[in-house]
């Protein structure tokens, strides 16, 4: 399974902090994102935001990055710390 | 330790952070520090308090990478980053960065560098609560622009 | 007070200086500080201790002018300079400069500016004592060069 | 009288921290410096150092600056604080 986390405003829109996705459903972050969008409704619109950032195993990652079982993926809005 | 980072709910103590930068470190004659605090207004609305969310695990990793990069670029003896999360009221401190180096401009530039990268790379998100309710703070173009000089 | 300077024999307390920069000042979310300390070596010889002489009366006046100029240039809410004189051993703090501003780069630049001007304008003179005896520290070209960017 | 102060290495070379000079002896800082040089010996050589800085009433001043009774003048080497 791939562990998928959502943070901040995105977590609130989805009303979901974490989901698990079978590794067989996708091989890249872009495919994972499409797979989640297929849930429809808020998932489709929120995940279409091109400002969203992605992390793979706690490092910022790109759409073409490969994902596999045991990976931790996160989607989140632009950061605003400091 | 040459590099130390902490992500914590509790307030930090500037004097203790300074002491860590200086301890057993008489080779570095220059120590620069920066503290970011909650202002009582942001853009238009007045802020009653902030709620700071972060991504546990990734946050520490990113801060450690930023401090390590600063240490290499400026040959710092020490670099420290402390960032709070949770509820923060106006006037409270949010973030501390500190650098100790043999030369003053290295220490000051390293602090500027660490803050610029932290602002755009460390996974923290601020939600403001004010008289008009809650809202997530928008990332600022000026923070992304600040990275270009490094 | 918006500007404060002190020329003193006693050690200063970074936490107390920080508190003064922040006190009743929730408009300034950015506070930068710099501390210069006695290194255990300088150029070639190892230093047993320093003796810092100054020009009482002129020193305070010059530091106040430097802090005032920084405050105007960067619209600082607060600016502070503390400089010690007398005997200082390796590892001891010599100078503190601090600036509080609405924006982080203003606070950091103001500290760099105050240090650069202090180094070339404030009437202090260092005498090093080491195993080879005493010598007056020579002014450095690099300190004069640092002024050109302001 | 003009009060004249010497600091740091210059004070040590002259073995003198302070002198008073009648205002009638000079009307500018340059003239005051010449007047002091006429004491000869270490005074002549030490005051010939073109790196020396001058202050008039606690502000950095130039050779042509006018001096008068009651003024405080200082001569000192390049500063090394911070």
């Amino acid at each position: 399974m791939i562990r998928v986390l959502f943070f901040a405003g995105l977590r609130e829109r989805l009303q979901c902090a974490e989901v698990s996705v079978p590794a067989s459903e996708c091989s890249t972050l872009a495919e994972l994102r499409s797979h989640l969008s297929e849930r429809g409704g808020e998932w489709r619109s929120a995940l279409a935001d091109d400002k969203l950032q992605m992390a793979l195993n706690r490092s910022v990652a790109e759409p073409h990055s490969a994902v596999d079982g045991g990976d931790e993926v996160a989607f989140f809005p632009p950061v605003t710390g400091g | 330790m040459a590099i130390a980072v902490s992500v914590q709910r509790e307030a930090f103590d500037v004097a203790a952070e300074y002491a860590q930068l200086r301890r057993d470190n008489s080779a570095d004659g220059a120590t620069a520090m920066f503290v970011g605090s909650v202002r009582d207004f942001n853009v238009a609305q007045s802020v009653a308090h902030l709620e700071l969310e972060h991504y546990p695990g990734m946050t520490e990793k990113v801060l450690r990478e930023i401090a390590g990069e600063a240490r290499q670029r400026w040959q710092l003896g020490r670099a420290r980053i402390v960032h709070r999360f949770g509820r923060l009221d106006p006037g409270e401190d949010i973030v501390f960065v500190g650098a100790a180096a043999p030369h003053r401009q290295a220490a000051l530039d390293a602090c500027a560098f660490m803050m610029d990268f932290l602002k755009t790379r460390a996974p923290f998100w601020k939600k403001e609560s004010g008289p008009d309710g809650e809202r997530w703070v928008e990332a600022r173009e000026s923070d992304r622009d600040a990275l270009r000089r490094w």
Side-chain angles (χ1 to χ4, degrees), chain A residues 5-12 51 53 55 57-60 72-74 76-82, chain B residues 53-58 61 83 94-95 115 118-127 136-139:
Chain A
L5 309 175
F6 307 101
F7 290 98
L10 178 63
R11 175 177 43 72
E12 289 187 345
K51 285 193 196 140
Q53 297 179 356
N57 298 325
R58 304 180 175 182
S59 292
V60 167
E72 179 178 298
V73 171
F76 46 79
V79 303
T80 57
Chain B
E53 179 173 336
H54 77 116
Y55 178 176
M58 179 165 171
K61 179 172 175 287
H83 203 300
I94 303 173
V95 60
M115 280 305 300
L118 186 158
K119 281 261 181 190
T120 50
R121 299 285 164 83
F124 289 98
W125 302 274
K126 285 194 189 93
K127 183 191 253 181
W136 289 98
V137 173
E138 294 275 333

Side-chain angles (χ1 to χ4, degrees), chain A residues 4-80:
Chain A
V4 186
L5 309 175
F6 307 101
F7 290 98
L10 178 63
R11 175 177 43 72
E12 289 187 345
R13 276 187 77 177
L14 301 179
Q15 297 183 280
C16 177
E18 180 173 345
V19 296
S20 289
V21 174
S24 57
E25 295 292 338
C26 52
S27 60
T28 66
L29 282 181
E31 289 177 21
L32 172 62
R33 189 164 173 167
S34 296
H35 174 77
L36 292 166
S37 292
E38 285 162 17
R39 294 181 172 211
E42 203 60 48
W43 289 78
R44 180 170 303 280
S45 55
L47 289 170
D49 182 351
D50 63 8
K51 285 193 196 140
L52 281 189
Q53 297 179 356
M54 294 176 289
L56 175 60
N57 298 325
R58 304 180 175 182
S59 292
V60 167
E62 300 300 323
H64 58 77
S65 300
V67 288
D68 205 351
D71 282 343
E72 179 178 298
V73 171
F75 292 90
F76 46 79
V79 303
T80 57

Side-chain angles (χ1 to χ4, degrees), chain B residues 58-113:
Chain B
M58 179 165 171
T59 320
E60 294 81 352
K61 179 172 175 287
V62 170
L63 295 183
R64 189 166 289 277
E65 287 165 359
I66 292 169
E69 170 77 14
R71 182 153 180 268
Q72 281 207 315
R73 283 203 189 200
W74 286 281
Q75 274 131 38
L76 309 176
R78 306 276 165 85
R80 296 179 74 78
I81 304 178
V82 182
H83 203 300
R84 295 176 67 193
F85 64 91
R87 180 185 164 127
L88 293 166
D89 289 312
E92 281 197 83
D93 295 338
I94 303 173
V95 60
F96 172 95
V97 306
H103 299 293
R104 69 183 181 278
Q105 199 55 48
L108 286 161
D109 285 348
C111 285
F113 172 92

